[in-house]
């Protein structure tokens, strides 16, 4: 069975410092992994996706994530936080050929001035 | 740019009323989904569709129903709204075997 765990429910960083949002997954087969961002009162926007190509995935707005099969992790990083990055972030896992997208519980990122 | 629309964006309605939440996409995607999301919580799948005339219930039990008569349209209906239905409802679509989902802006429903 698939599952995804976001290890931190809240993360606070200062503007200009690095961001690390942690995600571990469990999947029986080759997973596809996604990170989405949700700003208040908005829908979800795709940041990046991993679908068995390069293990280091670059996304929009300077975010990137590295797929580590040995650690079953897919952590999201950004070298320098911006105030506009403050939002809720969701890690999502899916398996090829299924309809299911399993969402993590979300990490709320706060960026301090 | 994803083109998936939801109306209304906000709805306050009394108990017992019938409501329909609209979702439309202009991308020609075959798969569509409805999720329920309480504030600050994860998304729970309540309905999905593989294509026209194909609908299935998701993992979260819901008293709502859906229909898929046209590829682009996937409305969700509550026959008799209750306060427990108060939540945000997000519609999404995708194409292919496993590709990213595109989300609408959501409908925030309050049942009084």
């Amino acid at each position: 069975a698939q599952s995804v765990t976001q290890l931190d429910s809240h993360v606070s960083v200062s503007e200009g410092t690095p961001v690390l949002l942690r995600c571990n997954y469990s999947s029986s087969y080759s997973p596809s992994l996604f990170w989405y961002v949700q700003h208040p009162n908005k829908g979800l926007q795709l940041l990046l996706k991993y679908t068995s190509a390069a293990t280091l995935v670059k996304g929009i707005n300077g975010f990137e994530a590295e797929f580590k099969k040995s650690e079953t992790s897919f952590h999201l990083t950004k070298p320098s936080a911006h105030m506009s990055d403050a939002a809720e972030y969701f890690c999502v896992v899916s398996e090829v050929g299924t309809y299911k997208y399993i969402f993590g519980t979300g990490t709320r990122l706060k960026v301090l001035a | 740019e994803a083109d998936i629309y939801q109306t209304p964006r906000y709805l306050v309605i009394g108990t017992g009323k019938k409501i329909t939440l609209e979702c439309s996409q202009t991308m020609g995607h075959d798969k569509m989904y409805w999720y329920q999301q309480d504030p600050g919580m994860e998304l729970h799948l309540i309905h999905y569709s593989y294509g026209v005339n194909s609908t299935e219930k998701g993992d979260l039990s819901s008293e709502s129903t859906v229909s898929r008569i046209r590829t682009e349209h996937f409305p969700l209906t509550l026959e008799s709204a209750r306060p427990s239905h108060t939540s945000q409802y997000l519609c999404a679509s995708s194409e292919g075997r496993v590709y990213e989902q595109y989300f609408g802006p959501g409908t925030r429903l309050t049942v009084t």
Side-chain angles (χ1 to χ4, degrees):
Chain A
Q2 304 167 85
S3 67
V4 60
T5 302
Q6 292 185 242
L7 299 166
D8 306 293
S9 59
H10 293 82
V11 170
S12 291
V13 300
S14 297
E15 189 175 23
T17 64
V19 175
L20 170 64
L21 305 183
R22 298 182 296 165
C23 173
N24 286 352
Y25 70 92
S26 172
S27 179
S28 303
Y29 303 101
S30 298
S32 292
L33 292 154
F34 309 85
W35 275 100
Y36 285 87
V37 61
Q38 185 179 33
H39 290 278
N41 299 315
K42 297 288 179 69
L44 277 70
Q45 180 185 18
L46 179 72
L47 280 177
L48 48 80
K49 64 180 179 182
Y50 166 79
T51 54
S52 75
T55 57
L56 182 62
V57 182
K58 294 189 183 298
I60 63 171
N61 301 335
F63 284 95
E64 63 181 38
E66 186 171 8
F67 173 71
K68 292 188 176 180
K69 187 175 182 178
S70 61
E71 299 176 11
T72 61
S73 69
F74 190 58
H75 302 333
L76 181 71
T77 60
K78 183 174 181 178
S80 176
H82 192 273
M83 296 298 289
S84 61
D85 294 328
E88 188 88 19
Y89 291 79
F90 291 95
C91 182
V92 182
V93 65
S94 186
E95 288 180 359
V96 174
T98 76
Y99 69 87
K100 284 193 172 184
Y101 294 80
I102 307 300
F103 286 76
T105 52
T107 298
R108 183 167 297 275
L109 176 65
K110 187 174 182 180
V111 182
L112 307 170
Chain B
E1 182 81 17
D3 294 313
I4 180 163
Y5 308 98
Q6 291 186 244
T7 57
R9 290 292 316 279
Y10 302 92
L11 179 62
V12 181
I13 200 163
T15 298
K17 299 291 186 182
K18 178 180 178 179
I19 58 172
T20 296
L21 308 185
E22 300 288 349
C23 175
S24 294
Q25 50 98 1
T26 59
M27 299 170 284
H29 287 172
D30 54 357
K31 299 177 184 62
M32 296 189 74
Y33 312 80
W34 276 104
Y35 291 91
Q36 186 172 340
Q37 182 188 29
D38 291 326
M41 304 294 287
E42 69 266 44
L43 280 69
H44 293 285
L45 181 69
I46 50 175
H47 296 283
Y48 66 98
S49 169
Y50 279 135
V52 171
N53 295 325
S54 155
T55 62
E56 299 287 344
K57 287 188 179 293
D59 299 322
L60 181 68
S61 176
S62 173
E63 294 163 343
S64 58
T65 59
V66 292
S67 63
R68 189 90 183 273
I69 299 172
R70 303 196 314 267
T71 298
E72 63 271 22
H73 195 214
F74 191 43
L76 180 146
T77 298
L78 278 167
E79 290 292 333
S80 180
R82 295 211 298 261
S84 60
H85 296 138
T86 294
S87 190
Q88 172 157 258
Y89 293 83
L90 290 165
C91 181
S93 69
S94 70
E95 184 65 52
R97 294 187 70 195
V98 177
Y99 288 98
E100 64 268 29
Q101 294 177 302
Y102 293 90
F103 283 84
T107 293
R108 188 168 294 280
L109 173 66
T110 301
V111 183
T112 60

